[in-house]
Amino acid sequence: GAVSGGSAAGMSQTTKKDMKYVLVTGGVVSGLGKGVTASSVGVLLKKAGQRCTSIKIDPYLNTDAGTMSPFEHGEVYVLDDGGEVDLDLGNYERFIDISLTRDHNLTTGKVYQAVIEKERRGDYLGKTVQVVPHITNAIQDWIERVAHIPTDGSGEAPDVCIIELGGTIGDIESMPFIEALRQFQFRVGPSNFAVVHVSLVPTVVGEQKTKPTQHSVRELRALGLAPSLLCIRSELPIEESVRQKLASFTHVPGNGIINLHNVSNIWHVPILMEKYGATAALQGALQLQARVP
């Protein structure tokens, strides 16, 4: 609606500056449901009154998903602007009710293409062009630019951008993105950046094992990213002793451990996250005040 007074205009200026970012990463194995988790984070934050948008990072060298066999990487999803992208963007659009652009899918191919084009034009003024800082800066600039694109039809810039990093922590090909995001948390400030790590607690001979998750979180911390939330995938709900163990060994507070056990369909996931207190944990990590949408 219309606003009066200069203070409101000033406020919209600060909200434009203080974009909040939620990074969703995956550990142990691929295909744990990072996409559904990222989409569900959007559902919860939207319900809490935040305007959300999403970026999917795919570390492969294809510039987009258009040339990939569906057996290789799932079906391709076609956006309103004709962009042929990863299927996760389809989940974001449906869960959060937004319309994304081809730039909301960032791939290694796109980043390198952009940087090499700049290099050929002479934009780097004779510098040696390297992964750090040139590729990592290009990634940060891309994320910051795309995060501010209005996606919900209101024409307003979003409040929160959810970034999903494809693949698994420790993959060689995702390293430049991890490094870029490690730097990015300082560019935007700690209260504007939260990490959600999706990991697996497998059941081995009837016992739920935390060791793979311990290693995965240790790897993530070694790369300079500390998870605020740990989303634990498991076949059955995890036992309280397992939760305690995870909290003490991963340095993630107990209320930040969200158990996403198997459910009959993906629309149950936001409800499950809400039940385990994910909204409050996210609001705490990002210092968000609840707003009525």
Side-chain angles (χ1 to χ4, degrees):
V3 287
S4 57
S7 61
M11 270 168 56
S12 72
Q13 282 303 301
T14 51
T15 45
K16 194 173 172 60
K17 268 212 305 279
D18 287 348
M19 168 81 67
K20 306 277 183 182
Y21 297 87
V22 179
L23 171 64
V24 179
T25 62
V28 187
V29 290
S30 57
L32 281 179
K34 289 191 300 297
V36 173
T37 305
S39 302
S40 300
V41 165
V43 172
L44 299 185
L45 290 174
K46 185 180 174 183
K47 184 169 167 282
Q50 305 296 325
R51 194 172 261 124
C52 294
T53 186
S54 284
I55 295 174
K56 171 76 197 284
I57 296 175
D58 283 301
Y60 49 66
L61 284 171
N62 309 54
T63 51
D64 64 31
T67 57
M68 264 185 281
S69 155
F71 295 112
E72 189 83 18
H73 205 83
E75 211 51 71
V76 72
Y77 185 79
V78 183
L79 297 169
D80 294 347
D81 69 354
E84 299 179 336
V85 295
D86 189 86
L87 200 53
D88 282 325
L89 279 88
N91 275 333
Y92 305 156
E93 289 202 340
R94 285 187 284 262
F95 271 73
I96 317 173
D97 192 22
I98 51 178
S99 172
L100 300 170
T101 70
R102 65 179 71 231
D103 284 356
H104 287 85
N105 190 196
L106 178 53
T107 68
T108 298
K110 284 182 188 174
V111 179
Y112 274 83
Q113 195 168 44
V115 169
I116 289 168
E117 279 168 9
K118 282 181 78 171
E119 185 273 327
R120 291 289 84 185
R121 280 200 309 269
D123 292 6
Y124 295 112
L125 303 173
K127 283 263 191 295
T128 306
V129 182
Q130 295 177 284
V131 175
V132 180
H134 301 101
I135 295 290
T136 49
N137 284 346
I139 291 165
Q140 292 179 73
D141 296 343
W142 185 298
I143 290 170
E144 204 160 24
R145 172 177 64 83
V146 173
H148 287 87
I149 298 173
T151 52
D152 66 353
S154 69
E156 300 269 332
D159 305 310
V160 179
C161 177
I162 298 143
I163 305 163
E164 181 194 341
L165 177 62
T168 311
I169 290 299
D171 292 352
I172 288 177
E173 55 184 15
S174 61
M175 284 299 180
F177 293 102
I178 299 270
E179 174 56 22
L181 288 157
R182 183 193 69 75
Q183 294 174 21
F184 193 65
Q185 63 189 334
F186 298 106
R187 186 192 280 204
V188 300
S191 64
N192 296 325
F193 191 87
V195 179
V196 175
H197 188 57
V198 185
S199 188
L200 177 69
V201 167
T203 301
V204 183
V205 206
E207 193 187 352
Q208 293 177 329
K209 296 289 191 183
T210 64
K211 191 67 75 185
T213 297
Q214 291 177 43
H215 285 308
S216 173
V217 173
R218 183 188 301 164
E219 173 86 2
L220 188 62
R221 285 183 180 280
L223 296 167
L225 292 170
S228 315
L229 263 76
L230 201 50
C231 289
I232 296 297
R233 294 282 291 110
S234 60
E235 209 159 330
L236 299 168
I238 58 171
E239 295 145 29
E240 187 51 36
S241 60
V242 173
R243 174 190 295 276
Q244 298 289 334
K245 202 168 170 186
L246 284 168
S248 65
F249 289 153
T250 60
H251 291 269
V252 176
N255 65 350
I257 294 174
I258 312 294
N259 183 202
L260 304 182
H261 51 77
N262 289 357
V263 285
S264 55
N265 77 59
I266 58 173
W267 301 102
H268 290 299
V269 177
I271 301 164
L272 200 58
M273 289 183 78
E274 178 67 74
K275 180 180 128 183
Y276 286 117
T279 310
L282 284 163
Q283 286 171 329
L286 292 169
Q287 296 176 18
L288 285 170
Q289 273 68 52
R291 291 202 290 242
V292 182

